Amino acid sequence: MKVIECSRLSKSYGEIKAINDLSFAIEENKITGLIGRNGAGKTTLLKIIAGLLHKTSGEMRVFSEEPFNNLKVSANLIFIDDNLTFPKSFSLEDILESAGMFYENWDMTLAQGLLEYFALHPKQSHENLSKGMKSTFNVILGISTRCPLTIFDEPTTGMDAGVRKDFYRALLKDYVQNPRTIILSSHLLNEIENILEDILLINK
C-alpha cells in the first residue's frame, strides 16, 4: 500500500520554485530518508505532505486523501521539526498527557521511559530547555505517538553525537516492534544510512 502518492508536484513562492514537477510514492511501513542539500525543498515537501502548506500545482495524496486542512490526515500523522511550540505554561509532562488525548496509538510508558533515559525531568518547561534538549524531547514525542505516518525534519538539531546515536537506536527499536511509515529528513546521511530502507533524493 502506498501511504504517499505525489505526481508532478510544484510549489512556488513568487517567482522562486521550491519544488518543481516532483513525482514519487512512499510505501507503507518503511523508513525513508529524505536527502538533499539545504534549500533543495525538503522542508517545503514535508510540510505539504503534513497538510501545513498548500501546493501550487500537481497532486499530493496522503492515505489517499488531499492532506491540506484534512482532519483524518492530521490524526494519523505527526510532523516533528525544531520549530515545535507549546503553551508556555505546559511542562513536558503536560505535553505528553495532551498528546495521549489526541493520538490513538500513544504509548505513555514508552514516552516516560525515554524521558528518563535522556535525563529530561517531566516537570521542566519546554520553553526553558536548551536547543539540543528541545530536539530530544521532540523526537521522544514523535516516537511515542506511533503515528501511521511519522515525519522527522532534521530532528537532531543541537544534539551531540551520542544523543543522536541513542535517538536512532530508540527509533529503530520501536519501529521494529511497531512498524509504521517514517520519513527522516537529514543532511547527515552517513549517520542514518544504516536504518533507512528507501531514499528519496532531491537534487537542486
Side-chain angles (χ1 to χ4, degrees):
M1 173 186 166
K2 293 179 174 66
V3 172
I4 301 169
E5 295 179 275
C6 172
S7 176
R8 309 206 66 176
L9 182 78
S10 294
K11 174 64 179 178
S12 299
Y13 297 100
E15 300 201 357
I16 298 172
K17 279 204 168 182
I19 299 172
N20 186 25
D21 200 29
L22 180 64
S23 298
F24 68 92
I26 291 181
E27 299 283 341
E28 184 181 34
N29 296 342
K30 284 191 173 182
I31 301 180
T32 299
L34 178 59
I35 309 300
R37 294 179 183 272
N38 289 337
K42 301 190 300 296
T43 294
T44 297
L45 173 60
L46 294 178
K47 286 186 174 181
I48 293 173
I49 292 171
L52 302 175
L53 282 179
H54 206 290
K55 63 187 184 298
T56 300
S57 63
E59 291 293 326
M60 173 63 75
R61 289 288 179 267
V62 179
F63 306 118
S64 301
E65 300 198 14
E66 161 65 48
F68 186 73
N69 208 21
N70 186 312
L71 282 176
K72 177 189 171 183
V73 173
S74 296
N76 288 282
L77 174 152
I78 190 165
F79 178 84
I80 300 293
D81 68 0
D82 63 354
N83 294 315
L84 284 182
T85 55
F86 302 99
K88 292 183 179 181
S89 62
F90 273 31
S91 66
L92 303 186
E93 188 176 52
D94 293 333
I95 296 168
L96 297 183
E97 287 175 358
S98 297
M101 290 186 280
F102 186 76
Y103 292 105
E104 184 179 353
N105 300 326
W106 175 255
D107 189 322
M108 180 62 89
T109 302
L110 173 64
Q112 290 172 335
L114 289 172
L115 215 63
E116 184 177 350
Y117 179 82
F118 286 104
L120 291 170
H121 195 282
K123 298 297 184 184
Q124 284 178 286
S125 164
H126 186 272
E127 187 183 35
N128 294 330
L129 295 177
S130 68
K131 192 169 186 64
M133 294 190 89
K134 280 182 181 176
S135 293
T136 302
F137 176 78
N138 294 347
V139 299
I140 290 171
L141 189 67
I143 294 171
S144 302
T145 56
R146 290 181 173 159
C147 280
L149 176 54
T150 301
I151 298 173
F152 293 102
D153 184 17
E154 295 284 356
T156 59
T157 303
M159 291 184 192
D160 63 35
V163 176
R164 293 199 302 270
K165 188 177 292 185
D166 284 342
F167 158 58
Y168 302 138
R169 188 181 297 118
L171 177 66
L172 186 58
K173 180 181 178 182
D174 197 66
Y175 165 77
V176 169
Q177 295 172 347
N178 301 275
R180 62 265 206 193
T181 305
I182 295 172
I183 304 175
L184 182 57
S185 164
S186 178
H187 62 280
L188 301 170
L189 180 57
N190 61 318
E191 288 192 359
I192 65 172
E193 60 184 351
N194 290 332
I195 68 171
L196 301 179
E197 295 169 276
D198 263 334
I199 289 178
L200 177 59
L201 176 64
I202 298 185
N203 184 30
K204 301 182 182 179

mmCIF file of all heavy atoms in Angstrom, residues 137-171:
data_model
loop_
_atom_site.group_PDB
_atom_site.id
_atom_site.type_symbol
_atom_site.label_atom_id
_atom_site.label_comp_id
_atom_site.label_asym_id
_atom_site.label_seq_id
_atom_site.Cartn_x
_atom_site.Cartn_y
_atom_site.Cartn_z
ATOM 1 N N PHE A 137 13.456 16.115 23.305
ATOM 2 C CA PHE A 137 12.063 15.934 23.727
ATOM 3 C C PHE A 137 11.151 15.765 22.513
ATOM 4 O O PHE A 137 10.244 14.921 22.523
ATOM 5 C CB PHE A 137 11.583 17.121 24.563
ATOM 6 C CG PHE A 137 10.130 17.004 24.933
ATOM 7 C CD1 PHE A 137 9.727 16.164 25.966
ATOM 8 C CD2 PHE A 137 9.163 17.705 24.233
ATOM 9 C CE1 PHE A 137 8.377 16.021 26.297
ATOM 10 C CE2 PHE A 137 7.814 17.579 24.556
ATOM 11 C CZ PHE A 137 7.429 16.734 25.590
ATOM 12 N N ASN A 138 11.385 16.547 21.472
ATOM 13 C CA ASN A 138 10.528 16.478 20.289
ATOM 14 C C ASN A 138 10.556 15.091 19.646
ATOM 15 O O ASN A 138 9.525 14.581 19.205
ATOM 16 C CB ASN A 138 10.949 17.537 19.268
ATOM 17 C CG ASN A 138 10.726 18.948 19.765
ATOM 18 O OD1 ASN A 138 10.043 19.167 20.775
ATOM 19 N ND2 ASN A 138 11.294 19.927 19.087
ATOM 20 N N VAL A 139 11.752 14.470 19.598
ATOM 21 C CA VAL A 139 11.812 13.134 18.989
ATOM 22 C C VAL A 139 11.169 12.091 19.902
ATOM 23 O O VAL A 139 10.590 11.112 19.403
ATOM 24 C CB VAL A 139 13.258 12.728 18.609
ATOM 25 C CG1 VAL A 139 13.836 13.707 17.595
ATOM 26 C CG2 VAL A 139 14.172 12.570 19.809
ATOM 27 N N ILE A 140 11.233 12.292 21.212
ATOM 28 C CA ILE A 140 10.513 11.403 22.134
ATOM 29 C C ILE A 140 9.017 11.454 21.826
ATOM 30 O O ILE A 140 8.338 10.425 21.757
ATOM 31 C CB ILE A 140 10.774 11.799 23.599
ATOM 32 C CG1 ILE A 140 12.225 11.486 23.992
ATOM 33 C CG2 ILE A 140 9.798 11.092 24.548
ATOM 34 C CD1 ILE A 140 12.647 12.046 25.342
ATOM 35 N N LEU A 141 8.517 12.662 21.630
ATOM 36 C CA LEU A 141 7.108 12.855 21.264
ATOM 37 C C LEU A 141 6.803 12.127 19.963
ATOM 38 O O LEU A 141 5.797 11.408 19.850
ATOM 39 C CB LEU A 141 6.822 14.350 21.130
ATOM 40 C CG LEU A 141 5.376 14.797 20.955
ATOM 41 C CD1 LEU A 141 4.570 14.512 22.219
ATOM 42 C CD2 LEU A 141 5.323 16.291 20.614
ATOM 43 N N GLY A 142 7.676 12.301 18.975
ATOM 44 C CA GLY A 142 7.457 11.686 17.669
ATOM 45 C C GLY A 142 7.454 10.171 17.714
ATOM 46 O O GLY A 142 6.605 9.511 17.080
ATOM 47 N N ILE A 143 8.363 9.587 18.462
ATOM 48 C CA ILE A 143 8.423 8.124 18.568
ATOM 49 C C ILE A 143 7.203 7.583 19.317
ATOM 50 O O ILE A 143 6.582 6.593 18.909
ATOM 51 C CB ILE A 143 9.719 7.677 19.278
ATOM 52 C CG1 ILE A 143 10.949 8.019 18.432
ATOM 53 C CG2 ILE A 143 9.688 6.170 19.567
ATOM 54 C CD1 ILE A 143 12.271 7.804 19.153
ATOM 55 N N SER A 144 6.834 8.256 20.403
ATOM 56 C CA SER A 144 5.804 7.724 21.304
ATOM 57 C C SER A 144 4.395 7.832 20.749
ATOM 58 O O SER A 144 3.493 7.116 21.212
ATOM 59 C CB SER A 144 5.888 8.437 22.660
ATOM 60 O OG SER A 144 7.168 8.273 23.233
ATOM 61 N N THR A 145 4.167 8.708 19.786
ATOM 62 C CA THR A 145 2.825 8.787 19.180
ATOM 63 C C THR A 145 2.516 7.547 18.352
ATOM 64 O O THR A 145 1.358 7.197 18.170
ATOM 65 C CB THR A 145 2.684 10.025 18.271
ATOM 66 O OG1 THR A 145 3.700 9.996 17.279
ATOM 67 C CG2 THR A 145 2.761 11.309 19.053
ATOM 68 N N ARG A 146 3.572 6.912 17.830
ATOM 69 C CA ARG A 146 3.393 5.730 16.965
ATOM 70 C C ARG A 146 2.365 5.985 15.876
ATOM 71 O O ARG A 146 1.507 5.139 15.573
ATOM 72 C CB ARG A 146 3.016 4.504 17.793
ATOM 73 C CG ARG A 146 4.174 4.002 18.650
ATOM 74 C CD ARG A 146 3.832 2.770 19.449
ATOM 75 N NE ARG A 146 5.014 2.248 20.125
ATOM 76 C CZ ARG A 146 4.978 1.449 21.182
ATOM 77 N NH1 ARG A 146 3.822 1.107 21.705
ATOM 78 N NH2 ARG A 146 6.099 1.011 21.726
ATOM 79 N N CYS A 147 2.439 7.185 15.278
ATOM 80 C CA CYS A 147 1.521 7.539 14.198
ATOM 81 C C CYS A 147 1.787 6.683 12.963
ATOM 82 O O CYS A 147 2.942 6.357 12.668
ATOM 83 C CB CYS A 147 1.690 9.010 13.818
ATOM 84 S SG CYS A 147 0.839 10.133 14.917
ATOM 85 N N PRO A 148 0.741 6.333 12.212
ATOM 86 C CA PRO A 148 0.929 5.602 10.963
ATOM 87 C C PRO A 148 1.905 6.293 10.002
ATOM 88 O O PRO A 148 2.608 5.627 9.257
ATOM 89 C CB PRO A 148 -0.485 5.538 10.373
ATOM 90 C CG PRO A 148 -1.382 5.570 11.571
ATOM 91 C CD PRO A 148 -0.692 6.494 12.548
ATOM 92 N N LEU A 149 1.950 7.633 10.057
ATOM 93 C CA LEU A 149 2.943 8.380 9.289
ATOM 94 C C LEU A 149 3.646 9.355 10.232
ATOM 95 O O LEU A 149 3.023 10.252 10.801
ATOM 96 C CB LEU A 149 2.291 9.144 8.135
ATOM 97 C CG LEU A 149 3.213 10.044 7.294
ATOM 98 C CD1 LEU A 149 4.404 9.272 6.756
ATOM 99 C CD2 LEU A 149 2.436 10.698 6.160
ATOM 100 N N THR A 150 4.930 9.143 10.432
ATOM 101 C CA THR A 150 5.733 9.966 11.331
ATOM 102 C C THR A 150 6.823 10.653 10.520
ATOM 103 O O THR A 150 7.599 9.982 9.831
ATOM 104 C CB THR A 150 6.365 9.106 12.440
ATOM 105 O OG1 THR A 150 5.323 8.447 13.180
ATOM 106 C CG2 THR A 150 7.183 9.963 13.393
ATOM 107 N N ILE A 151 6.858 11.987 10.591
ATOM 108 C CA ILE A 151 7.807 12.769 9.805
ATOM 109 C C ILE A 151 8.766 13.488 10.742
ATOM 110 O O ILE A 151 8.343 14.238 11.629
ATOM 111 C CB ILE A 151 7.071 13.799 8.925
ATOM 112 C CG1 ILE A 151 6.141 13.086 7.928
ATOM 113 C CG2 ILE A 151 8.064 14.699 8.186
ATOM 114 C CD1 ILE A 151 5.255 14.042 7.126
ATOM 115 N N PHE A 152 10.056 13.253 10.541
ATOM 116 C CA PHE A 152 11.102 13.945 11.288
ATOM 117 C C PHE A 152 11.882 14.831 10.311
ATOM 118 O O PHE A 152 12.557 14.312 9.416
ATOM 119 C CB PHE A 152 12.069 12.951 11.938
ATOM 120 C CG PHE A 152 11.480 12.106 13.030
ATOM 121 C CD1 PHE A 152 11.116 10.790 12.789
ATOM 122 C CD2 PHE A 152 11.300 12.614 14.309
ATOM 123 C CE1 PHE A 152 10.590 9.992 13.800
ATOM 124 C CE2 PHE A 152 10.769 11.830 15.329
ATOM 125 C CZ PHE A 152 10.414 10.516 15.071
ATOM 126 N N ASP A 153 11.783 16.140 10.473
ATOM 127 C CA ASP A 153 12.501 17.070 9.595
ATOM 128 C C ASP A 153 13.731 17.610 10.325
ATOM 129 O O ASP A 153 13.609 18.441 11.224
ATOM 130 C CB ASP A 153 11.570 18.220 9.184
ATOM 131 C CG ASP A 153 12.226 19.167 8.190
ATOM 132 O OD1 ASP A 153 13.250 18.782 7.570
ATOM 133 O OD2 ASP A 153 11.728 20.296 8.028
ATOM 134 N N GLU A 154 14.905 17.123 9.942
ATOM 135 C CA GLU A 154 16.170 17.498 10.596
ATOM 136 C C GLU A 154 15.985 17.482 12.121
ATOM 137 O O GLU A 154 16.171 18.495 12.802
ATOM 138 C CB GLU A 154 16.622 18.885 10.132
ATOM 139 C CG GLU A 154 16.979 18.969 8.656
ATOM 140 C CD GLU A 154 18.344 18.351 8.327
ATOM 141 O OE1 GLU A 154 19.051 17.932 9.259
ATOM 142 O OE2 GLU A 154 18.679 18.286 7.139
ATOM 143 N N PRO A 155 15.619 16.316 12.685
ATOM 144 C CA PRO A 155 15.203 16.270 14.091
ATOM 145 C C PRO A 155 16.338 16.388 15.098
ATOM 146 O O PRO A 155 16.070 16.583 16.283
ATOM 147 C CB PRO A 155 14.548 14.889 14.201
ATOM 148 C CG PRO A 155 15.289 14.060 13.192
ATOM 149 C CD PRO A 155 15.561 14.998 12.045
ATOM 150 N N THR A 156 17.592 16.250 14.658
ATOM 151 C CA THR A 156 18.690 16.169 15.619
ATOM 152 C C THR A 156 19.437 17.484 15.800
ATOM 153 O O THR A 156 20.539 17.497 16.355
ATOM 154 C CB THR A 156 19.685 15.069 15.192
ATOM 155 O OG1 THR A 156 20.188 15.370 13.882
ATOM 156 C CG2 THR A 156 19.003 13.708 15.151
ATOM 157 N N THR A 157 18.837 18.599 15.375
ATOM 158 C CA THR A 157 19.470 19.915 15.517
ATOM 159 C C THR A 157 19.850 20.179 16.981
ATOM 160 O O THR A 157 19.016 20.083 17.878
ATOM 161 C CB THR A 157 18.517 21.029 15.037
ATOM 162 O OG1 THR A 157 18.153 20.765 13.689
ATOM 163 C CG2 THR A 157 19.187 22.385 15.119
ATOM 164 N N GLY A 158 21.120 20.469 17.212
ATOM 165 C CA GLY A 158 21.582 20.796 18.564
ATOM 166 C C GLY A 158 21.987 19.602 19.407
ATOM 167 O O GLY A 158 22.558 19.770 20.484
ATOM 168 N N MET A 159 21.680 18.392 18.951
ATOM 169 C CA MET A 159 22.060 17.195 19.715
ATOM 170 C C MET A 159 23.537 16.886 19.509
ATOM 171 O O MET A 159 24.071 17.073 18.405
ATOM 172 C CB MET A 159 21.260 15.968 19.243
ATOM 173 C CG MET A 159 19.797 15.958 19.557
ATOM 174 S SD MET A 159 19.105 14.355 19.000
ATOM 175 C CE MET A 159 17.352 14.689 19.126
ATOM 176 N N ASP A 160 24.188 16.365 20.542
ATOM 177 C CA ASP A 160 25.556 15.901 20.340
ATOM 178 C C ASP A 160 25.526 14.498 19.732
ATOM 179 O O ASP A 160 24.473 13.854 19.645
ATOM 180 C CB ASP A 160 26.379 15.954 21.626
ATOM 181 C CG ASP A 160 25.855 15.048 22.727
ATOM 182 O OD1 ASP A 160 25.342 13.950 22.423
ATOM 183 O OD2 ASP A 160 25.966 15.432 23.911
ATOM 184 N N ALA A 161 26.682 14.009 19.304
ATOM 185 C CA ALA A 161 26.754 12.755 18.540
ATOM 186 C C ALA A 161 26.199 11.566 19.323
ATOM 187 O O ALA A 161 25.506 10.700 18.769
ATOM 188 C CB ALA A 161 28.197 12.485 18.121
ATOM 189 N N GLY A 162 26.472 11.515 20.636
ATOM 190 C CA GLY A 162 25.998 10.408 21.453
ATOM 191 C C GLY A 162 24.485 10.370 21.556
ATOM 192 O O GLY A 162 23.868 9.293 21.478
ATOM 193 N N VAL A 163 23.864 11.533 21.716
ATOM 194 C CA VAL A 163 22.407 11.600 21.816
ATOM 195 C C VAL A 163 21.770 11.244 20.478
ATOM 196 O O VAL A 163 20.741 10.554 20.423
ATOM 197 C CB VAL A 163 21.948 12.998 22.289
ATOM 198 C CG1 VAL A 163 20.431 13.102 22.299
ATOM 199 C CG2 VAL A 163 22.499 13.302 23.673
ATOM 200 N N ARG A 164 22.391 11.704 19.383
ATOM 201 C CA ARG A 164 21.870 11.354 18.057
ATOM 202 C C ARG A 164 21.866 9.835 17.869
ATOM 203 O O ARG A 164 20.903 9.252 17.384
ATOM 204 C CB ARG A 164 22.694 12.021 16.951
ATOM 205 C CG ARG A 164 22.575 13.522 16.908
ATOM 206 C CD ARG A 164 23.006 14.089 15.571
ATOM 207 N NE ARG A 164 24.370 13.758 15.202
ATOM 208 C CZ ARG A 164 25.442 14.500 15.509
ATOM 209 N NH1 ARG A 164 25.285 15.611 16.221
ATOM 210 N NH2 ARG A 164 26.644 14.142 15.106
ATOM 211 N N LYS A 165 22.955 9.198 18.261
ATOM 212 C CA LYS A 165 23.060 7.743 18.123
ATOM 213 C C LYS A 165 21.990 7.046 18.960
ATOM 214 O O LYS A 165 21.366 6.078 18.508
ATOM 215 C CB LYS A 165 24.451 7.288 18.553
ATOM 216 C CG LYS A 165 24.736 5.818 18.270
ATOM 217 C CD LYS A 165 26.163 5.440 18.648
ATOM 218 C CE LYS A 165 27.179 6.100 17.747
ATOM 219 N NZ LYS A 165 28.562 5.629 18.033
ATOM 220 N N ASP A 166 21.725 7.543 20.168
ATOM 221 C CA ASP A 166 20.691 6.960 21.021
ATOM 222 C C ASP A 166 19.303 7.153 20.411
ATOM 223 O O ASP A 166 18.441 6.272 20.524
ATOM 224 C CB ASP A 166 20.740 7.585 22.415
ATOM 225 C CG ASP A 166 21.896 7.059 23.255
ATOM 226 O OD1 ASP A 166 22.447 5.996 22.904
ATOM 227 O OD2 ASP A 166 22.256 7.712 24.256
ATOM 228 N N PHE A 167 19.081 8.297 19.783
ATOM 229 C CA PHE A 167 17.793 8.543 19.119
ATOM 230 C C PHE A 167 17.571 7.546 17.987
ATOM 231 O O PHE A 167 16.502 6.931 17.889
ATOM 232 C CB PHE A 167 17.736 9.981 18.586
ATOM 233 C CG PHE A 167 16.738 10.165 17.470
ATOM 234 C CD1 PHE A 167 15.389 9.867 17.651
ATOM 235 C CD2 PHE A 167 17.139 10.649 16.232
ATOM 236 C CE1 PHE A 167 14.467 10.031 16.619
ATOM 237 C CE2 PHE A 167 16.231 10.821 15.196
ATOM 238 C CZ PHE A 167 14.897 10.506 15.392
ATOM 239 N N TYR A 168 18.573 7.371 17.125
ATOM 240 C CA TYR A 168 18.428 6.431 16.012
ATOM 241 C C TYR A 168 18.146 5.013 16.537
ATOM 242 O O TYR A 168 17.321 4.291 15.986
ATOM 243 C CB TYR A 168 19.692 6.403 15.144
ATOM 244 C CG TYR A 168 20.082 7.742 14.557
ATOM 245 C CD1 TYR A 168 21.414 8.147 14.532
ATOM 246 C CD2 TYR A 168 19.128 8.598 14.020
ATOM 247 C CE1 TYR A 168 21.787 9.369 13.993
ATOM 248 C CE2 TYR A 168 19.486 9.828 13.481
ATOM 249 C CZ TYR A 168 20.824 10.212 13.476
ATOM 250 O OH TYR A 168 21.193 11.423 12.950
ATOM 251 N N ARG A 169 18.829 4.643 17.614
ATOM 252 C CA ARG A 169 18.645 3.308 18.194
ATOM 253 C C ARG A 169 17.222 3.157 18.745
ATOM 254 O O ARG A 169 16.570 2.129 18.527
ATOM 255 C CB ARG A 169 19.682 3.086 19.298
ATOM 256 C CG ARG A 169 19.697 1.657 19.846
ATOM 257 C CD ARG A 169 20.717 1.501 20.961
ATOM 258 N NE ARG A 169 22.074 1.736 20.504
ATOM 259 C CZ ARG A 169 22.869 2.705 20.955
ATOM 260 N NH1 ARG A 169 22.437 3.545 21.892
ATOM 261 N NH2 ARG A 169 24.099 2.838 20.494
ATOM 262 N N ALA A 170 16.752 4.185 19.471
ATOM 263 C CA ALA A 170 15.398 4.133 20.042
ATOM 264 C C ALA A 170 14.337 4.095 18.945
ATOM 265 O O ALA A 170 13.340 3.355 19.045
ATOM 266 C CB ALA A 170 15.167 5.340 20.958
ATOM 267 N N LEU A 171 14.540 4.891 17.893
ATOM 268 C CA LEU A 171 13.594 4.922 16.776
ATOM 269 C C LEU A 171 13.518 3.564 16.093
ATOM 270 O O LEU A 171 12.429 3.030 15.853
ATOM 271 C CB LEU A 171 14.032 5.992 15.768
ATOM 272 C CG LEU A 171 13.182 6.111 14.499
ATOM 273 C CD1 LEU A 171 11.778 6.592 14.836
ATOM 274 C CD2 LEU A 171 13.838 7.064 13.496
#
